[in-house]
Structures are given as C-alpha cells and as structure tokens.
Amino acid sequence: MPRVRRNTPRPPARSAPDRRFVRGEAARATATDPSAARAASPQDVGYEAINGAYRVIDEYLRQGQKVAGELWLPGTDGRPGIADVPRVVERFMQSAGDLGAAWLDLFAAGVTPASGKPDATGTAGPFRVGRRADSPTSGSPAAAPVASAVPLVVSTARPVDVSVDASGPVESWSLGAVAGARGSAATGVSARLAPGPDGRAVLTVKVAATAKRGTFTATITRPDAEGPAGVVTIRVR
Amino acid sequence: MSNALVRDLLAEYGEATLTVIRDALERAARRDPVYGIAADYPLRGGRALRASTCIAAARAHGATLDTAVATAASLELLHSAFLVRDDVEDESEERRGRPALHRIHGIATAVNAGDALTVLGLAPLLENRTLLGTRVAFRVLEEAALMVRESVEGQALELRWRSDNALDLSDDDYLRLVLKKTAWYTTIYPLRVGALIGARGKVDVARFVRFGFFLGAAFQIQDDLLNLVGDPARYGKELNGDIAEGKRTLMLLHLLRVAAPAERARLAEVLRTPRAERRAEAIAWVRERMDHHGSIDRARRHAHALAGAALHEAPGAFAGARAGRDLRFLQSLPTWVLERR
C-alpha cells in the first residue's frame, strides 16, 4: 500500500500580533529614510515602537474598563451579574448627567447665593435659591427656580426636565391640561397652577413612576392675549 | 492625502477660532488688566492644531462651524493656560519666538495670568448649553474635566521624574507620559468633543483613543526632535532647550540606556545640576552624544512608526464620519505631523 504523506501544518512563525503596518505616506517617508532601511526586521525600532505603543494604550484602556467595572451595586456575592454592569453604569451616568444638567440650569438662570436676597428660602446644592414653593405633596419633591418668575415644585419618581416658556404676569396665566405628542393621554403626568401659602402662583408638576417616556406639554393662556401665551414642557426620560 | 489641505484648514479654522478668542479677550480686558497680560500667548499665534482638529471632527460628524468654534476657542485658551504654567515649571526662556510670559512679567503675574486663561477657557463650555443643549454641553464639560485631569497628572509625572533625577526609564514610560501629558489635550480630547458636538452626543468616543494616542505621540516625538534639529526661527523655542530643562525625551532615555558607564555617570551629573547652573558646554556634549549613539535617528523612526499606526487606526476611528475635506484633514494629520519643520 502506498504511503500517504501527511500534511503537517507549519507552526506559526510568530507568537505576537504582527503590527508592521506602516503604510501610506508614513511608509513612503520611512522608505526614503536610509536610516530606516531595516524596517522589515522584527527587531526593528519601528516594530518595537508600534508594539510598545499598543502595549501602553491597551494597558491604559484595560485600566479604564476595570474602573468602569467597579461601578456596581453590591450583590449577593459582592459582585453584580455581568448583565447588570452596563445597566448600573448607565444609571450612574444618567444620575451624574441629571445632576450636572441641574447645575448648568442653575448657572444659566443666573442663580447666585442667597445672601442679599431676603426672600430666598429654597436650596440647591450649597446655594439657597428662589422662593419657597408650595409644600411638597408626595414623592421626592425638589424646589428650584426657573428662568420665568413662577416658582416651580416638581414631585417626580422619574428623571424629568421641566421648562416654562411664557410671557406676561404669572397671576394672569391659566394652565391647560397636560397632553402627550399629538394630543395623546399624559398618564401619570400632571401640572397645576395654583396660589401658594403667600398667595403667589406656584406651578406644581407631578410625574408618577408609571409615566411613559416622552415629551408632554400644557398650554398657558392669558385673557388679554390672542392664542397661547406660553407652554410648560415636561420631558420624561 | 494632502498636506496642503491640512495647512489650508489649519489657517481657516485657526482664524475662525482666533476671532472668537480675540473678542473674548477684548471684553475681559475691559474688566481687569490681568486679561490683557493673559492675552499674550493666545495672540502670538500658533498652528491651531487642537482647535482645527476639534472643528474638523465636529463638521465631519455633522456640525456647523458655528456650533463647534466656541469649544475650539475654549481648547486653545486652556492650551495657553497650560503653556504659561509649563514655561514657569520648566524654566523655559522662549515661547513662539518671544520671551516666555514669566520672563516678561515675573512668575507671580504669569501664574495668575494662567489662571485667568483657565477661567476664560471654561466660559465657552458653560455657554455651550444654549448652543448644544444641556445634555451635550454637559458631556463636553465632562470630557474637559477628564482632559485637564490627565494633562495635570502627566505634567506631575514629568516633574517627579526631573525632581527625582529619574534615569532608568523605558520607552513605554515615555509613551505613558506622552499619552497623559500631550495626547489627551492635543488630539484625543479635540476628536472626542468634536464628534460629540457633531453627533449630538450619539457617538462612542472611545473609538478615538488609539488614533489620538498614536497621532499625539508622533506629534510629541517630532516636537522633541525639532527642539534639537529644527529651524530656530520657525520652531519658536530655544534649540536644545529640552536638554537644558532635563526633559526626559525619547532621545535622552535612549542615550541613558546605551551610554558607556562613564558617559552615563557624566550624563546623570549634568541632569542633576539645576538648570540655572547647567553650562552650555555640558548641553552641547549631551547633544553630541545623542548624535553619536544614533538617538535622534532612532526617535525619528519611532515617530514614523507611530504615525503609521495612527493611519492604521484611522478607518476605525472615523467609521461614523462623513466624507469630505474635514475627514480628509483628519486622515492626513499623521503624515502632516512628520513634515512639520
């Protein structure tokens, strides 16, 4: 019987990634440099430079991932399930983003420390700002000033952005029903404009945990204005 | 790829950025003279590489010039703030062809002017809220905080090396320093915030880290080479100034590794000597030894290799970018950094 020659696979000639991919303009520049004539050798400076650079950046990125992976809530064994990590990180980033956005809103509204403002009784971070709003009704209330003159009380179980864009004296405003896109129902989202303890109008926005994501609006009208005088926009995230 | 295109866009975006900076400085200078002193470096003119990279990345991802130029101006102002402090810490004599700020006004005034530049650099990032919306503006602000942190830690590392007279450093050590001290604010941050602005926050900014690092490292090595072999009139700093400052460049680290024991001992002594007492003959000797041992040619090959690595990473970095001259500009940067004179 004739003997069959077996094709034995050759072992790989290298054990590390080949990153000698200097090409394009840089390759031409290297090729024209006589001192770079040994570029094809694995021992070449360029080869070592590239491998060293990848080593450094990979190590840096791994450390970044390790830090991100440590942003978890304690689980039964002290670590979250793999599927939980992205969600926890996302929630963390969401909270950080909301906090930062709130600070930017305050800066943009020209908020300053309350000293010299005897009627300022609300709080936001280290600052005392705005006027005291109506007593919170439920949930996690937070009083914050808005660019308009109306005090705002937000009671919400969801991350929300609330903005008021309207003209004229607040006392003359009337607030319509809150509606979703194209007039859809705003389940779990409400807004009310009513006098506070000092008789001044206070805008109260409530968002329940069951509210759907989306943008909801309530129209502001004034008896002396033709058409809408403004709008309250509530964005549930 | 065209280096002429790079030069054209650097000029165009640099001028747009300078217009914003000039306006901010003029308004600030009416409030206090410190801003007049602070205006010195930004108005001396530079290549505007960082600003142009930011604007090009933004436009390549869908932004207009108007929405990106304020962030680009912020970057150049923060860059000037870094330079003022770097020049004090490094005891540099010149910057962009003229005496360093502390050589004109003294250290205290220069440091305060650096603080003023930082404040001016933060203002556009807060104003971004109306331009970009709260969420994207905050993402840009987060990136700025990250960039400043990395840059400060990089500078701290370099200062420790010098104060400790560190001699046993590897090429990897040098690259770690360059990643933090140079690449983050020269290339990685401009690319990341530009893309964030253009894509309205809907972009994975991690994709720019490798490209930005390789590009930034090639840029820094080329900059270090120009300090030794560049045209003094075009380079804008004193030649061999890095040796005088004891800066741990790739060339110096190579020389420390290959020098004969007697040479290495003398080299250590030169580096240990305070800058003010470091003699011109000693600096010339170090420079000559670098030539003798091939340290400069070796560093040049390093820069070319890293530029090649940047070219290799470019398709992944710019997978979400639109075709056009802004994308071509970004893709051309690795070859441009090698041609700087």
Side-chain angles (χ1 to χ4, degrees), chain A:
Chain A
M1 235 177 118
R3 298 179 66 183
V4 178
R5 176 175 288 178
R6 293 173 64 187
N7 285 328
T8 306
R10 289 187 173 188
R14 55 186 169 80
S15 58
D18 186 350
R19 284 165 173 158
R20 285 170 292 163
F21 40 63
V22 180
R23 62 185 186 187
E25 292 291 334
R28 284 192 286 280
T30 303
T32 58
D33 182 357
S35 62
R38 293 174 296 121
S41 165
Q43 303 304 317
D44 178 72
V45 167
Y47 181 81
E48 287 303 314
I50 292 169
N51 273 305
Y54 268 99
R55 197 161 51 237
V56 167
I57 196 65
D58 288 348
E59 170 194 302
Y60 177 83
L61 292 171
R62 268 198 308 276
Q63 285 178 351
Q65 287 166 353
K66 182 166 173 280
V67 170
E70 287 168 353
L71 294 173
W72 46 264
L73 297 174
T76 51
D77 60 350
R79 285 191 169 274
I82 291 173
D84 289 334
V85 173
R87 192 171 58 83
V88 172
V89 171
E90 185 185 357
R91 283 171 53 193
F92 176 84
M93 297 306 292
Q94 181 75 56
S95 300
D98 290 344
L99 182 64
W103 276 101
L104 284 178
D105 286 340
L106 291 171
F107 274 114
V111 170
T112 54
S115 57
K117 287 190 175 181
D119 56 349
T121 54
T123 61
F127 296 137
R128 293 170 59 79
V129 297
R131 298 183 175 85
R132 182 178 294 283
D134 198 359
S135 298
T137 51
S138 63
S140 304
V146 291
S148 65
V150 62
L152 173 65
V153 174
V154 180
S155 177
T156 177
R158 299 279 306 277
V160 296
D161 294 328
V162 179
S163 66
V164 182
D165 183 12
S167 59
V170 178
E171 290 71 24
S172 66
W173 292 1
S174 295
L175 191 64
V178 180
R182 299 186 190 89
S184 61
T187 308
V189 182
S190 68
R192 186 170 64 101
L193 192 63
D198 61 356
R200 296 168 64 90
V202 174
L203 176 62
T204 303
V205 172
K206 293 182 182 176
V207 178
T210 54
K212 292 181 178 175
R213 287 179 101 169
T215 302
F216 304 88
T217 57
T219 305
I220 295 171
T221 54
R222 267 198 349 251
D224 59 333
E226 289 183 11
V231 65
V232 176
T233 305
I234 305 159
R235 191 161 69 89
V236 180
R237 288 177 281 126

Side-chain angles (χ1 to χ4, degrees), chain A residues 21 23 25 30 35-36 38 45-46 49 52-55 57-60 94 96 98 100-101 104-105 108 237, chain B residues 126 129 134-135 138 150 172 175-176 179 184 209-210 213-214 298 301-302 304-306 309 311-313 335:
Chain A
F21 40 63
R23 62 185 186 187
E25 292 291 334
T30 303
S35 62
R38 293 174 296 121
V45 167
Y54 268 99
R55 197 161 51 237
I57 196 65
D58 288 348
E59 170 194 302
Y60 177 83
Q94 181 75 56
D98 290 344
L104 284 178
D105 286 340
R237 288 177 281 126
Chain B
L126 292 171
R129 182 181 172 277
T134 302
R135 183 158 295 281
F138 186 71
E150 294 288 348
D172 282 11
L175 290 172
R176 287 188 196 97
L179 169 61
W184 256 102
V209 174
R210 282 192 173 84
F213 167 55
F214 297 138
R298 181 178 179 278
R301 289 200 294 274
H302 256 262
H304 283 191
L306 292 173
L311 288 174
H312 176 77
E313 293 291 339
T335 53

Side-chain angles (χ1 to χ4, degrees), chain A residues 56 59, chain B residues 157 170 172-181:
Chain A
V56 167
E59 170 194 302
Chain B
L157 179 61
S170 66
D172 282 11
D173 291 325
Y174 172 82
L175 290 172
R176 287 188 196 97
L177 172 77
V178 167
L179 169 61
K180 293 176 84 71
K181 193 195 163 188

